[in-house]
Amino acid sequence: MNQRKVPFLDMKSPYQELKAELDAAYQRVMESGWYILGEEVKSFEREFAAYCGARHCLGVGNGLEALHLILRGYGIGEGDEVIVPSNTYIATWLAVSYSGARPVPVEPDPRTYNLDPLRVEAAITSRTKAILPVHLYGQPADMDPLLEIAGRHNLKVIEDAAQAQGARYKGRFAGALGHASGFSFYPGKNLGALGDAGAVLTDDDELAEKIRMLRNYGSKVKYYNEYKGYNSRLDELHAAFLRAKLPTLEEWNQRRVKIAEYYVERLSGLPGLTLPHVPEWAEPIWHIFTVLHPRRDELQKYLASQGVDTLIHYPIPPHLSDAYRDMGIPQGTFPIAERIAASELSLPMGPHMSFEDAEYVANAIRRFAEETK
């Protein structure tokens, strides 16, 4: 008998479900003869801003550049500090480094894995200019306390919403909570392009106008350059694909929610397995369904032997990476981030995952628990 194979994420079915819409988007762009900063980008910017409840959306090259452009747009740079989570994908830190500022890591809430507001204030100095929370794994960070702290210290709150398209915090959309936010539309995201793509959301008219120029060589009018800008533009084809996918985002997110609920129901109470904690004010969209286990590597190997693909997000905290060795942060400085990195495992998840596959994954984990108790 052939063993069942469960992919971490099904990347083919989205095209099969939306083939007509995606093919039409391709034809529309190709027939237009316009490929950079045209009507598709403008339309997607209007539609995504309206969906999230923000005044402005600026399409850019990717999520890292979205965050970097926000920092540049606010004039944050050399000599400044930006508070970041100690546990996140390194892109969050890199955006700060690219601006010339220094990332200042703060530990997460050990239950939600998101930036802990109770720890943030102690990290603020006279050089601090912004707080950069991440809505990690598709669950919103606790924004109201962060905004309150930022208000008292005259700081900007910049959301890393790369994993949170459609997540809600107290009924409001992630990405429209702080002063500005950066989104990624990498293909594996809940709203994904067919290549790298990103966007900035903000209600700040001045920031929006500046980023509009910074993304395009610092220019509003061709050959008249007001800033030392960049080339970071969402192209027409990806914008058209994103427009085709945006109307399905709510439905596809709800499919993820149902798979997550099934996982929680079937995996609760297993020894050693820590399931996600969702506060009452959060509506996550389960970009990643993550569990912690003290024997993570053994569990991952066992699941692989059963045909189940898993991933680790993220095995090396930024402060222990070679890229940030120059900061001289020794191991043990951020024990919560290090514990998460050593025990986190991401289970298969996606809008096209069947309950049969979810059941197969859950049963395999239960067998592992039985065999290793």
Side-chain angles (χ1 to χ4, degrees), residues 129-150:
K129 293 296 187 290
I131 304 170
L132 211 172
V134 179
H135 303 306
L136 196 63
Y137 310 141
Q139 175 157 294
D142 194 0
M143 292 294 292
D144 283 351
L146 294 174
L147 288 163
E148 191 274 330
I149 292 167

Side-chain angles (χ1 to χ4, degrees), residues 332-358:
T333 304
F334 297 105
I336 299 175
E338 292 172 26
R339 178 176 63 84
I340 293 169
S343 58
E344 190 276 343
L345 188 66
S346 302
L347 304 184
M349 168 59 72
H352 296 89
M353 185 177 186
S354 67
F355 281 102
E356 290 78 15
D357 277 353

Side-chain angles (χ1 to χ4, degrees), residues 51-358:
Y51 169 79
C52 293
R55 187 177 300 153
H56 302 285
C57 172
L58 297 311
V60 298
N62 54 63
L64 168 55
E65 290 172 1
L67 295 174
H68 176 218
L69 290 172
I70 293 168
L71 292 163
R72 276 294 315 276
Y74 277 133
I76 296 171
E78 198 71 37
D80 296 331
E81 295 177 348
V82 177
I83 291 174
V84 296
S86 57
N87 63 313
T88 181
Y89 184 54
I90 199 170
T92 312
W93 287 41
L94 290 174
V96 178
S97 297
Y98 288 170
S99 74
R102 176 177 176 269
V104 176
V106 169
E107 288 271 70
D109 181 321
R111 300 167 304 161
T112 66
Y113 317 137
N114 276 323
L115 190 62
D116 188 345
L118 297 177
R119 301 171 188 265
V120 165
E121 197 146 20
I124 294 173
T125 72
S126 60
R127 293 192 174 107
T128 308
K129 293 296 187 290
I131 304 170
L132 211 172
V134 179
H135 303 306
L136 196 63
Y137 310 141
Q139 175 157 294
D142 194 0
M143 292 294 292
D144 283 351
L146 294 174
L147 288 163
E148 191 274 330
I149 292 167
R152 284 192 283 106
H153 293 274
N154 194 30
L155 306 177
K156 299 298 184 185
V157 176
I158 301 166
E159 301 170 70
D160 183 339
Q163 302 181 4
Q165 300 95 339
R168 290 173 173 86
Y169 171 79
K170 299 183 179 179
R172 297 170 289 159
F173 278 104
L177 303 167
H179 296 98
S181 63
F183 280 87
S184 167
F185 303 120
Y186 181 78
K189 304 298 187 187
N190 290 42
L191 178 63
L194 301 188
D196 279 320
V200 171
L201 259 62
T202 186
D203 287 342
D204 186 329
D205 297 340
E206 184 178 342
L207 177 68
E209 184 63 18
K210 190 167 183 181
I211 289 176
R212 193 172 282 113
M213 289 186 278
L214 284 173
R215 72 176 176 181
N216 189 39
Y217 299 101
S219 172
K220 190 187 317 183
V221 178
K222 195 169 185 177
Y223 303 128
Y224 291 83
N225 303 85
E226 300 180 38
Y227 303 102
K228 295 185 178 99
Y230 305 88
N231 177 0
S232 180
R233 303 174 297 205
L234 174 64
D235 69 50
E236 287 288 282
L237 198 54
H238 287 312
F241 290 146
L242 289 167
R243 292 185 68 203
K245 285 185 167 186
L246 182 57
T248 71
L249 180 58
E250 287 292 304
E251 179 190 343
W252 286 8
N253 281 346
Q254 285 307 305
R255 294 183 198 173
R256 289 173 178 265
V257 168
K258 289 175 182 174
I259 294 294
E261 290 173 346
Y262 180 82
Y263 274 150
V264 170
E265 178 186 334
R266 293 285 288 124
L267 298 175
S268 292
L270 290 184
L273 193 72
T274 301
L275 294 173
H277 170 76
V278 181
E280 60 181 14
W281 40 257
E283 296 177 54
I285 43 86
W286 302 106
H287 172 60
I288 295 168
F289 188 94
T290 188
V291 299
L292 304 187
H293 197 285
R295 300 170 70 176
R296 184 267 312 281
D297 294 345
E298 292 177 57
L299 174 57
Q300 184 178 43
K301 185 176 180 181
Y302 179 83
L303 291 175
S305 75
Q306 303 300 300
V308 177
D309 289 341
T310 59
L311 290 177
I312 296 171
H313 295 88
Y314 304 95
I316 303 173
H319 71 280
L320 297 181
S321 70
D322 287 344
Y324 283 97
R325 183 178 295 172
D326 61 327
M327 291 184 72
I329 302 175
Q331 188 164 353
T333 304
F334 297 105
I336 299 175
E338 292 172 26
R339 178 176 63 84
I340 293 169
S343 58
E344 190 276 343
L345 188 66
S346 302
L347 304 184
M349 168 59 72
H352 296 89
M353 185 177 186
S354 67
F355 281 102
E356 290 78 15
D357 277 353

